[in-house]
Amino acid sequence: STGISQMITLVILDEENQTALETSLTSIAGLTSYSPERFSVVVATQRRLDGIGATLPFETIDPLTVEQLFCAATGHVVQVNAGTKYTPSAFDRYFEDAQSGRLHRLYVHAEGTYRYRLNRTLRHSAEGHVSINDSDLLWVGSTPPVVSAELYRELCALKRAPSDQNLYFAEALLQAGEFGVLTGRVQCTGLHEDDLYGEQRLFSADWYLSFLEQWNGLLSRVAAESENVPVYVQRMFLYLAQFRLQYNMDRRNKNALNADQLDRFYAD
């Protein structure tokens, strides 16, 4: 026995891709810290799962009940897309912190899929604690955050658990005030916003305007509640906003916004 009772509830969002689902389950089973006492693994799916080659126990739930499951959980919760892979040491630091009684309410992993620019100022070697006041490290939420169930319940009660991962991380960070950096890496399935060359969303007005609308809502609310927005969160917003501009500079203009929408973009 590990002496630690199901500290992590990990939900895999099934995309009806058997290979991707098996990849994630195999990755979790291969964690050096894995045991059924430490991890509760759940697949959110509406289909019947047959013939899954998994070497670990898991349950299935309806995707619509993930929030309910997380709110009832203990320890920490994390949601990933099928196909997400963890390196074997990905949760070692978490359980070291648990044993020492120094668990953070919010954790992140470094991304291991490619040498990304999105979070380049959070060094590959960085581990440990990052304060919301730190100015030398920047993380904008490119990997699935590991959130304490208590913090998740707070976000849900405040209606601040958005589906957008960057906003989700920002809201969690505002509540927690800090985050920890875990060992190992996570390889995500989706493209990050610094690697979208040729992607259809670059040509959609919604990718630009909804981004501003959502972040303006967050920043305005925080400014009204506390008279100022933490510099760290401002840096997150600007770092994400710069990609919208870079993708449309010089000859790379996607012509996604008409004249009125362009005026709105700059006005916001």
Side-chain angles (χ1 to χ4, degrees):
S1 173
T2 62
I4 302 175
S5 176
Q6 288 190 346
M7 297 295 294
I8 294 177
T9 299
L10 199 157
V11 169
I12 304 171
L13 299 179
D14 178 34
E15 298 173 348
E16 299 193 5
N17 182 322
Q18 198 92 333
T19 300
L21 183 55
E22 290 184 357
T23 293
S24 292
L25 291 169
T26 301
S27 165
I28 297 164
L31 293 168
T32 55
S33 58
Y34 174 78
S35 75
E37 293 77 28
R38 285 179 164 177
F39 287 83
S40 174
V41 181
V42 180
V43 178
T45 184
Q46 292 182 324
R47 67 184 176 109
R48 178 175 176 177
L49 297 180
D50 295 315
I52 293 290
T55 57
L56 78 169
F58 67 90
E59 300 177 0
T60 60
I61 61 169
D62 188 296
L64 297 177
T65 64
V66 171
E67 180 177 311
Q68 180 181 348
L69 173 69
F70 278 178
C71 285
T74 58
H76 283 61
V77 299
V78 57
Q79 177 177 289
V80 300
N81 293 321
T84 301
K85 294 172 61 177
Y86 290 102
T87 56
S89 64
F91 287 93
D92 288 1
R93 170 59 63 88
Y94 176 90
F95 289 103
E96 291 171 7
D97 287 354
Q99 291 283 16
S100 64
R102 296 195 303 267
L103 277 175
H104 298 288
R105 300 212 296 165
L106 175 64
Y107 283 97
V108 302
H109 284 100
E111 165 67 71
T113 304
Y114 68 103
R115 295 191 64 82
Y116 53 92
R117 302 188 310 276
L118 188 62
N119 295 312
R120 63 176 178 263
T121 54
L122 183 61
R123 300 179 300 274
H124 278 277
S125 60
E127 296 173 6
H129 164 267
V130 178
S131 163
I132 199 170
N133 298 315
D134 286 343
S135 60
D136 60 330
L137 301 176
L138 180 62
W139 190 256
V140 295
S142 73
T143 60
V146 182
V147 178
S148 74
E150 175 192 18
L151 175 55
Y152 186 86
R153 285 190 288 273
E154 290 177 14
L155 293 173
C156 287
L158 294 169
K159 301 187 184 304
R160 294 175 189 170
S163 57
D164 179 89
Q165 195 160 277
N166 303 130
L167 284 168
Y168 179 35
F169 174 72
E171 294 283 14
L173 179 59
L174 284 165
Q175 287 295 109
E178 61 179 12
F179 64 94
V181 183
L182 293 172
T183 49
R185 300 283 183 269
V186 59
Q187 297 182 2
C188 299
T189 58
L191 292 174
H192 298 313
E193 292 186 330
D194 62 332
D195 198 36
L196 296 179
Y197 302 103
E199 287 290 301
Q200 187 59 41
R201 76 184 89 172
L202 297 176
F203 301 90
S204 167
D206 186 64
W207 191 68
Y208 303 90
L209 299 178
S210 288
F211 164 81
L212 285 178
E213 180 180 352
Q214 291 174 326
W215 273 90
N216 276 344
L218 182 152
L219 297 172
S220 298
R221 188 198 75 229
V222 174
E225 291 174 350
S226 60
E227 297 184 357
N228 60 72
V229 179
V231 173
Y232 198 101
V233 177
Q234 294 183 50
R235 290 174 63 215
M236 288 176 59
F237 165 71
L238 292 173
Y239 201 65
L240 290 168
Q242 75 172 342
F243 289 111
R244 271 81 180 166
L245 300 176
Q246 289 177 358
Y247 284 130
N248 289 275
M249 289 177 61
D250 303 322
R251 296 181 179 179
R252 292 179 292 178
N253 183 10
K254 306 298 184 295
N255 295 308
L257 304 179
N258 60 35
D260 291 339
Q261 291 170 327
L262 194 60
D263 289 342
R264 175 183 162 193
F265 180 86
Y266 285 113
D268 287 348

